[in-house]
Amino acid sequence: MAASPEAASPAAGSELPVASEASAGLNRLPGGGPAGKAPLVRALRGKPDLRRVACQWMDRFAEDRYAAVAELVSLVMVVADVPSQTTVMKEDLQDREPAEVVRELTAALALEANLKGADFTQHWLVSREKGAQRVRDNFPAIWRELAVAPTSDALLQGLLQLLRSWTLALAECQFRSIRHAATVAGLAVVEGLGIQYRSQQDFCTTAEVQIRDAEAQQGGHAGQDCQQRLASLRGEHQHVARAAEELCQARNGFGAALLSRRTKDVDPEIRRSCLEALGRWVDVDPEACLEDTWTRYLSFALNDREPKVRAAALTALHGLLRGEAGPRLSEPVRRLGEQVQRKVLERCQDVDAFVGAKAIRCATSLAALELLPEDQFDPVVDLIWDPDARRRGEAAAVVSCFVFTEDILDYPSSGLPAGGLLPAGLGGGGTAKRRVLMLLQFVEEYADGHYELVERLVAALWRRASCLEDWEVLVELALPATEAPLASEHHSALIHLAEATVRLASKDMAEASGSAHACAVLDRAARAVAPKLAALLTSCQAEPMTMRRATSLCSHLLYHCIIRSGTGASCDGLLAGTPGEAAAEALKAAFMRQPDPEALEHIALALSHLLDLCAGARPRVRDLASSLAGRFKQLAEHITSKSGKETDENGTPVSDSLFAVVVRLRILAKAFDVSLCDLEGFVAMALGLVEDRVSTSSESPDQAIGPQMTIALLELLMLVLIRHAAALLQPEPLARCVTHDPIDQNQLKIAPTAAEDLLSLSTTLLEQDPCVHVRSAAFSASLALVSAWWNGAHFAVVAEGEAASHWVPSIHDELSNALCRHLSDLLTEANSVPADCSHFAGAPAPGDYRTLDAVSRIFDVLQQSLTAAQRAPQDDELAEQPLLLSDHDRIRLACLVCAQVASSRHNQVAAGPLPALVLSQGLAVREDLQEAAWVLLRRLRTDAHLTSEKAETFFFTLLRAVEVVHQDNGSQIARDLSLKVLQHVGVGKLVPTLQSALVSALRAGVVDSVGEGVQEGLLEALTPWVTKHVVEDGLIRELAGWAESQAASAGQENGDVYVKAGLPNFLQACRVTTERKRAAAATENPTTPQRSPEPPHSRPRQVSPPREQKKRPRRGAAAAAAAAAAAAAAAPNVTPATRRRAAIKA
């Protein structure tokens, strides 16, 4: 073994392992791929003719066998990412056994790794860096060609023995990377032997045919030539057959030697490589792989602890099980199927969904071979309801082939052209109708009434079954028929099936930027459903669950009609005139009758779309709003006047009737101004009801304005006032969102007063109301109102010009404190929930129009939580206590409120404490709360690239978050937040605008640290902003000089405050960061004498004495998140690298 002088001894004064960094630079090219000029290494990086590469290596082998073998060993070391200082020369191999050379190589590498440290885990066969995939493709291909390119005589006369001995020896190396590379090389040689053997077998088959022809032509003069040819053919046939037999024996022995050891290797990547190679051998010689010599490894691997190994074994097993069923089934296949049947069914339920999908595919092959009894189908069929799409897709194939009487997956394997539906000639309406009825029968038998699972069935059949796209058949079955109407269960399942198909197509169209196929499906659905929309709704009104899906179907199709209107598509004018008016009348009647809030939401959404599609829909929607508003005023008058009337004309309690009306009003308010622009009457009445809640000192079961009523009123007022703000700020032309609303300019003049009244009531509710649900509703309503009004004012400025000026509601100190206190309480309660108790990952990102906004989801969570809490049986003592949130609702509410704060662009919100509280959740133990912080950070970071003012806002918001955590938890926890935040700011140097903004924020941090009330150690918490090195050195030196001048100008008396704030350590971090590049240059060029700066960890760190933490209710969330992070950090965490550094220092 040879090593360079630099690799023989560690660098003087080095305390950390550097070999891995050096090797990473020397072993890789800047463009990707391993470094090296050897022919085989160059072949790894490019796209050469590998047969030619193998032939050239054989020429070098013929000239100098030891040098050629050394080249192969070096190739293995390069792929194993062994440091390039250690090389293998031909002198190391002469007259020596491979095992002895490998032991010496292992010892040399172990010594070097002990001296300098090394990392062999991310070698080229598992790395994801640039060029790694090409290495993974070319490396085994080179070794495979070494077994395919030479003749069988050359292989059997010594070359194969050399390849076998060296790969087996290297496969026993103690270094995993070398063992892995050698195993892959040996497996590729075995594959090449299989290819060579099959080639010899094909030649023997051809020769036997020619021998029979020659024997038939014997006789006469021509027969003598045939006899000579026959003799030549027989001799060549015997020679090739003998060579093929020897190749087969060599292949089996070599493969068994590798698999017997390496399938039990401790490294799962090596075990997976073995099973993947076995799968490739199946493609080369499936008959040979059916022998027990090979199948036993597959059987063992099905129970491997690593999912990727199990998946590779199932892939190879599926290749073996592919064949024809019936009496022609071979005995080895039958025996193999009977052996693995139980394990395959167990793997169908594997914890890893990818493995489960592979197992279901194997189960499909077993069923096709008639090796899976019918009583074993049900566990596989039930997986069509699985949450994972991969498992569902494979289970759908089982259902279609072995449960249905005919295969409904009729899409061609090559797919269809974009925008195309399956031609009707391949099935027709009768076939589609028969298949839909089979689906309905399947849902009835297997879904057990859980029709919400139909969505997963449709997802499994999407773009695979044409019967889901024959909307003429679907509408025909859904509407009442005189002959053989569908049963109630089948009708409900059909509506769920149709709605799930439309919803999936709408999602596909939105995510795929207008998927042509999804658009074609929706076009066809709109043409079939739109003329019969009223009849469809009438047929579903008796079943609440079915009506919910039918209204959702209508809203999606109407929205698609709006998208396609004006494009010249077939959807234009479908609902203009009588069809649209009939649909509006049906939706209006359903809105008044249906009790389900979700169905009401879909109806309101459908009406909002219909307003743009049909002129006759507007008077009907206005009549609906007018009747509801009149009913609201009538019932509200009984409560506010305290007339003593407890029930209405129908005998229903007035409060219950009022709540039902308010629910419909707040849902319809998303589509239309339900107040009819009556602020003095309708809005004033609603504000009066909320004021009644405010004036009540305590919560009582007999109170008319309960929590649910208050939450619904707050949402209603918020929506109505936002509509009035849009109409007030942009009167001509009206904004699109309110273009159908009735407008009264005199009434709109008092909209600002109504907004201020609502903000005042919300402030009082946040401060006094005992119900957390009501406080959360007041928080969301007030924040949404000020944010929407601010957005509308800016939109109006864009429309009218810079000279326009509009009133915008402001957030006064009392409201700001109440908002901050409530957000802190919500986050504190969410942090108290154990990390493994619940998880929420559905918070919408700011500006994501594809998902429901955070405000609507907050009010949904509050209403659902209150409904569930009131339905639960409670004792008399518990009934008197305020209703609390469940753990799951706490998490959902906290994440959604953070998402609402992240989407608010109101200037006072952005400059206030709310964003800082959200960003402080970067220290939370819960991942969902951390993600809520990073969502806000990503939005601020995106905006920071627009203008210099937004860049400063970004970094000043981060500074406030660090200061919030520092005030409650000290400098160390605040420093942890700085580290986490800077990881999400960027990698490498920032753009000049962001660099200037970051420096400005640091200057403000220096001023804040010594300002009113010295913040001890604040500057230490800001050191990661400097050490991240995202700013040019000149700006850092300028910042350090400015900070020193500030401390010097303070004088001796006030200079101590800078020391308490951590200025010395901050300045030291600036110096070390700016000198880091010079220190790195000195390390790379040790011949140039240069003094290295003292590393920061060698200096004694100044630790401020612990100080008593003051309780700050407004910062409770930051304290909770930081305390959880501190508890996690306090646990002992001694890694091997820590022990190694400690030993080196000692």
Side-chain angles (χ1 to χ4, degrees), residues 369-655:
L369 296 173
E370 300 181 358
L371 296 176
L372 188 66
E374 290 188 5
D375 57 353
Q376 300 291 337
F377 281 0
D378 284 354
V380 180
V381 171
D382 287 340
L383 292 174
I384 202 170
W385 316 118
D386 194 84
D388 186 79
R390 294 166 293 186
R391 231 191 295 245
R392 287 199 308 265
E394 296 297 337
V398 177
V399 172
S400 180
C401 294
F402 305 107
V403 177
F404 294 159
T405 55
E406 62 177 303
D407 190 358
I408 68 171
L409 303 181
D410 50 3
Y411 265 70
S413 57
S414 59
L416 292 174
L421 298 175
L422 197 67
L426 296 182
T431 302
K433 185 174 183 179
R434 185 172 62 253
R435 292 175 177 178
V436 170
L437 291 175
M438 282 194 302
L439 281 172
L440 299 181
Q441 185 68 25
F442 173 79
V443 171
E444 180 186 5
E445 294 181 4
Y446 284 89
D448 195 20
H450 299 285
Y451 295 123
E452 63 274 8
L453 296 175
V454 171
E455 178 184 0
R456 298 180 180 180
L457 174 63
V458 172
L461 301 177
W462 176 243
R463 298 206 68 174
R464 301 172 72 185
S466 64
C467 61
L468 294 178
E469 300 169 356
D470 197 331
W471 279 92
E472 292 76 16
V473 170
L474 293 176
V475 172
E476 178 187 351
L477 292 173
L479 295 179
T482 55
E483 298 181 0
L486 290 179
S488 175
E489 297 79 5
H490 286 183
H491 184 263
S492 182
L494 177 64
I495 298 300
H496 280 76
L497 199 72
E499 187 272 340
T501 303
V502 169
R503 180 153 40 91
L504 186 59
S506 301
K507 181 180 178 182
D508 192 9
M509 187 174 175
E511 293 181 351
S513 301
S515 171
H517 175 264
C519 185
V521 172
L522 292 172
D523 283 348
R524 186 174 181 180
R527 290 194 302 269
V529 175
K532 303 177 181 179
L533 198 59
L536 179 64
L537 293 172
T538 304
S539 67
C540 301
Q541 62 183 354
E543 305 170 7
M545 293 296 296
T546 307
M547 189 63 179
R548 178 189 299 179
R549 296 302 99 201
T551 53
S552 175
L553 171 66
C554 293
S555 64
H556 281 99
L557 288 181
L558 292 176
Y559 178 69
H560 178 72
C561 290
I562 291 178
I563 294 177
R564 300 284 283 168
S565 62
T567 61
S570 57
C571 296
D572 279 347
L574 285 176
L575 291 163
T578 304
E581 294 174 359
E585 197 65 39
L587 290 170
K588 173 185 173 182
F591 192 83
M592 295 300 294
R593 285 196 300 262
Q594 289 299 317
D596 183 31
E598 186 174 345
L600 295 176
E601 293 278 0
H602 292 311
I603 295 173
L605 190 58
L607 286 173
S608 67
H609 300 327
L610 197 57
L611 286 171
D612 292 329
L613 295 172
C614 177
R618 182 176 183 183
R620 289 167 174 79
V621 175
R622 184 184 181 113
D623 290 343
L624 175 62
S626 177
S627 61
L628 288 173
R631 180 66 174 168
F632 168 77
K633 293 177 182 179
Q634 178 186 2
L635 295 173
E637 182 66 28
H638 291 307
I639 293 180
T640 56
S641 64
K642 302 189 181 340
S643 61
K645 186 176 181 180
E646 298 181 355
T647 60
D648 60 5
E649 59 275 8
N650 298 322
T652 306
V654 174
S655 59

Side-chain angles (χ1 to χ4, degrees), residues 787 790-791 846 901-907 909-910 939 943 950:
S787 301
W790 189 89
N791 291 338
V901 173
S903 62
S904 176
R905 297 175 183 271
H906 193 283
N907 55 350
V909 174
R939 199 267 291 173
D943 293 348
K950 291 183 180 296

Side-chain angles (χ1 to χ4, degrees), residues 2 30 289 322 424 594 598 786 862 874 938 1025 1070:
C289 291
R322 284 179 298 188
Q594 289 299 317
E598 186 174 345
V786 297
L862 294 175
Q874 295 181 351
R938 285 193 292 267
W1025 294 44
C1070 293

